[in-house]
Amino acid sequence: DGKVTGVECDDGRIINSDATIISTGGKSYPLTGSTGDGYELAASVGHTITSLRPSLVPLVVREGWCSSLQGLSLKNVAVTVSEKDRQKPVFSDFGELMLTHYGLSGPIALSASAHMSKVPETHYYFDIDLKPALDEAKLDARILRDFEKYSNKNYSNAIQDLLPSKLIPVVIKLSQISPEEKVNQITKEQRLKLINVLKRLRLEVIGLRPIEEAVVTSGGVKVGEIDPKTMKSKVVDGLYFAGEIIDVDAYTGGFNLQIAFSTGHAAGKAALE
């Protein structure tokens, strides 16, 4: 009669209740039991389930050189993400990145993934500024000081103070300067190429890692079908929702936990009353 009156278990038992809360989580971390069952339960009583996709998930990139940097952590870098063939950024942030055999992970990469809803149909450019505290003029001055310090050294040895050792071979290749070239022979045009690499280390994002590796699931029970004060269903009486099953997700930093706590508190209080 348009009312949820309890739950029927796998063994045939029926647990009667005036209020039932679905708080089964999303499809992320299936080893915890969060396998998407709640979406089927909600849909079976008439709720709309919006498109499900991984969010806060590592990024897969086209560039093969990433695999040589597996495990390298880049701290205090700035990132700008733009949709391919469009100039306007869709995301920018500052913080820590982790390079992996498939691409990028770490807090910035995870947050950026929330803005890449068109992957893999559309690719995105992920530009890393390795020296965000220095503009191009100040960075050039810094490089000149290092070149003066290592004036008789090869290029590959003269940038050791500037970058993590693991990253040096990649930067050398991208800057198109011979690693054996003496730094006192490097031209201004060559320095500008190096500066461009350091300020705009570009990767092309071609995919996201599977939803099983995502921190949260984007999508779920349509929010317009839930009372925002009580988390009660507007579709069927006696049913409430809490947590990731609802189509709400946010950045890393505790926001998704806060969503879970807040909706759980609201649903629990309303169900009790």
Side-chain angles (χ1 to χ4, degrees):
D1 297 324
K3 179 178 173 63
V4 174
T5 57
V7 178
E8 183 179 357
C9 303
D10 282 344
D11 60 9
R13 288 181 302 133
I14 294 178
I15 301 173
N16 295 309
S17 174
D18 291 329
T20 301
I21 304 173
I22 300 181
S23 55
T24 52
K27 294 190 74 172
S28 311
Y29 291 119
L31 289 175
T32 65
S34 181
T35 55
D37 295 344
Y39 300 125
E40 296 179 29
L41 290 171
S44 72
V45 293
H47 272 282
T48 304
I49 309 300
T50 62
S51 178
L52 304 175
R53 58 181 293 276
S55 188
L56 307 187
V57 66
L59 308 173
V60 180
V61 304
R62 183 183 298 282
E63 288 71 17
W65 52 259
C66 253
S67 60
S68 67
L69 303 177
Q70 182 175 354
L72 176 63
S73 178
L74 299 175
K75 296 182 179 179
N76 301 320
V77 297
V79 161
T80 303
V81 178
S82 55
E83 193 174 330
K84 194 173 181 180
D85 302 323
R86 293 190 179 185
Q87 294 297 319
K88 190 176 180 181
V90 298
F91 174 80
S92 59
D93 201 1
F94 175 89
E96 185 175 350
L97 271 177
M98 176 75 75
L99 289 115
T100 70
H101 66 283
Y102 52 76
L104 299 165
S105 188
I108 302 181
L110 298 184
S111 291
S113 70
H115 296 267
M116 299 183 182
S117 59
K118 299 178 183 177
V119 169
E121 293 79 11
T122 298
H123 294 174
Y124 292 81
Y125 288 128
F126 195 99
D127 292 322
I128 306 170
D129 184 347
L130 296 168
K131 301 293 177 183
L134 302 174
D135 61 24
E136 294 192 9
K138 289 180 180 177
L139 181 56
D140 190 29
R142 161 70 195 276
I143 292 169
L144 283 170
R145 288 197 300 272
D146 284 358
F147 282 6
E148 185 177 351
K149 179 181 177 181
Y150 299 104
S151 59
N152 294 318
K153 297 282 188 179
N154 292 342
Y155 171 51
S156 58
N157 296 321
I159 57 175
Q160 62 186 6
D161 295 347
L162 197 62
L163 296 164
S165 58
K166 210 171 183 179
L167 189 56
I168 289 174
V170 171
V171 169
I172 288 173
K173 184 176 180 180
L174 294 175
S175 67
Q176 300 177 327
I177 303 172
S178 170
E180 286 80 31
E181 186 157 355
K182 300 298 182 185
V183 290
N184 54 19
Q185 296 178 349
I186 290 178
T187 65
K188 182 178 181 180
E189 288 72 23
Q190 288 175 310
R191 289 202 319 273
L192 289 176
K193 282 187 177 181
L194 171 59
I195 290 168
N196 188 61
V197 172
L198 296 176
K199 297 293 286 182
R200 284 170 288 277
L201 183 61
R202 171 162 284 191
L203 294 143
E204 186 177 352
V205 179
I206 59 174
L208 305 176
R209 294 294 287 176
I211 197 166
E212 290 79 11
E213 297 180 27
V215 176
V216 294
T217 304
S218 176
V221 178
K222 190 174 181 179
V223 292
E225 298 175 355
I226 301 172
D227 184 321
K229 292 183 178 180
T230 63
M231 298 295 112
K232 186 176 182 180
S233 168
K234 295 179 180 179
V235 174
V236 59
D237 198 19
L239 185 64
Y240 298 78
F241 296 97
E244 198 175 334
I245 190 170
I246 304 168
D247 181 16
V248 181
D249 61 278
Y251 289 155
T252 58
F255 296 106
N256 294 288
L257 290 172
Q258 185 62 56
I259 291 168
F261 298 151
S262 297
T263 57
H265 181 272
K269 185 179 178 184
L272 179 64
E273 291 173 350

